[in-house]
Amino acid sequence: MKKTGLIFVLPLVVVFSCSQSGKPSQGRSKVVGTVRDMPSYDIEDDTGDTRESLQRLYEEHRDAVFSVYTSNEKADVRGSGFLISDNGIAVSNYHVFVQKSPVEEKIRLKDGREYRVSEVLLSSKELDYVVFKLKTDSSEVFPFLSVAEEAPKIGESVFAMGGQDRMDRSTSSGIVSLLKKEEHLIQTTAKITPRNGGGPLLNKEGQVVGITLPSIAKGKLNFVIDIRILHLK
């Protein structure tokens, strides 16, 4: 995978809350979780071409998508996220890291490696995104996803991916059904589960066009945050 540089145009945010009160986490305990190796596809209405594309995208990009675990009396999967640089810069939903009680977050990659958050680079509670750096050895190199420069078109095929979990589908396909430009949102027919929220929405070239949000209960609407709002280059 070709290495690329990453430039943040927005100001850096250096304080990251792990609780809704803004207090740092306390009473942290070790997280133990089970990660399933094989994906579960949501392709019951897909054509053969879409199924093949979904399989290819999953195989090519799964290593750059991870699960976010927290611990508060018991291990729990809070959501997903994905890497956007080979030195460990990642993206997820803001709400995934916000709790009412002390918690501890772990980033778990497909190969089982676990990491803490080193620092937050960008965040927005209102738009529900966070960009952060993994706490890792400087010599480590990570698989990562490239970011699309242009917004997808209505009707374009897209694929949502999430971290691996035994209870939820990790991959689904659909199309872009609406662009809400003023709200920086993209509506899609691809299914998104709560635990897959924070994962990437990919176009057919395997580029990230958005950050997935958990489905809205009423109407089962699926939205993603337009990745371009982060002004990543």
Side-chain angles (χ1 to χ4, degrees):
M1 187 173 293
K2 184 179 180 181
K3 295 183 180 179
T4 60
L6 182 64
I7 300 174
F8 289 93
V9 182
L10 297 183
L12 296 185
V13 180
V14 295
V15 179
F16 184 35
S17 173
C18 291
S19 68
Q20 291 182 343
S21 63
K23 298 180 180 179
S25 299
Q26 300 176 352
R28 295 180 173 180
S29 59
K30 185 177 181 181
V31 176
V32 178
T34 300
V35 179
R36 185 177 60 181
D37 290 331
M38 296 303 294
S40 176
Y41 300 115
D42 176 24
I43 53 177
E44 48 197 50
D45 295 325
D46 290 339
T47 65
D49 289 342
T50 301
R51 182 169 307 159
E52 183 178 346
S53 296
L54 185 61
Q55 177 71 36
R56 175 180 54 80
L57 284 173
Y58 176 82
E59 295 294 336
E60 291 179 356
H61 304 297
R62 61 182 180 178
D63 291 341
V65 184
F66 54 76
S67 293
V68 180
Y69 285 79
T70 64
S71 178
N72 182 17
E73 298 181 353
K74 64 178 182 178
D76 184 31
V77 180
R78 290 282 299 160
S80 298
F82 54 97
L83 290 151
I84 56 173
S85 77
D86 61 2
N87 65 343
I89 295 178
V91 177
S92 184
N93 288 151
Y94 180 92
H95 79 269
V96 169
F97 293 88
V98 180
Q99 288 281 294
K100 293 181 179 180
S101 54
V103 297
E104 179 181 71
E105 294 82 12
K106 281 189 177 182
I107 307 305
R108 177 174 293 173
L109 304 184
K110 181 185 178 297
D111 61 11
R113 288 181 293 168
E114 294 182 342
Y115 298 89
R116 300 273 194 263
V117 174
S118 171
E119 62 177 319
V120 169
L121 304 176
L122 301 170
S123 67
S124 172
K125 181 178 180 180
E126 179 183 4
L127 296 177
D128 201 9
Y129 70 77
V130 60
V131 182
F132 56 91
K133 178 76 168 60
L134 298 185
K135 187 176 183 180
T136 178
D137 188 292
S138 59
S139 64
E140 287 191 85
V141 177
F142 296 89
F144 65 94
L145 300 176
S146 61
V147 176
E149 295 183 358
E150 299 181 358
K153 297 179 174 59
I154 294 178
E156 181 177 336
S157 295
V158 287
F159 306 87
M161 295 183 66
Q164 305 305 294
D165 179 65
R166 62 183 178 178
M167 297 179 64
D168 278 321
R169 293 187 171 103
S170 61
T171 311
S172 63
S173 65
I175 63 168
V176 172
S177 54
L178 182 65
L179 298 176
K180 306 186 74 173
K181 296 181 180 179
E182 293 184 0
E183 300 176 48
H184 309 290
L185 293 175
I186 300 169
Q187 186 173 336
T188 177
T189 59
K191 295 180 181 179
I192 304 169
T193 66
R195 295 188 184 188
N196 284 350
L201 186 74
L202 306 175
N203 60 24
K204 59 185 179 181
E205 283 76 36
Q207 301 171 326
V208 181
V209 297
I211 310 162
T212 60
L213 294 167
S215 299
I216 299 174
K218 294 183 179 180
K220 300 296 182 182
L221 300 178
N222 301 301
F223 289 99
V224 302
I225 306 161
D226 189 338
I227 194 70
R228 295 177 305 156
I229 195 176
L230 301 184
H231 298 286
L232 304 175
K233 292 184 179 180

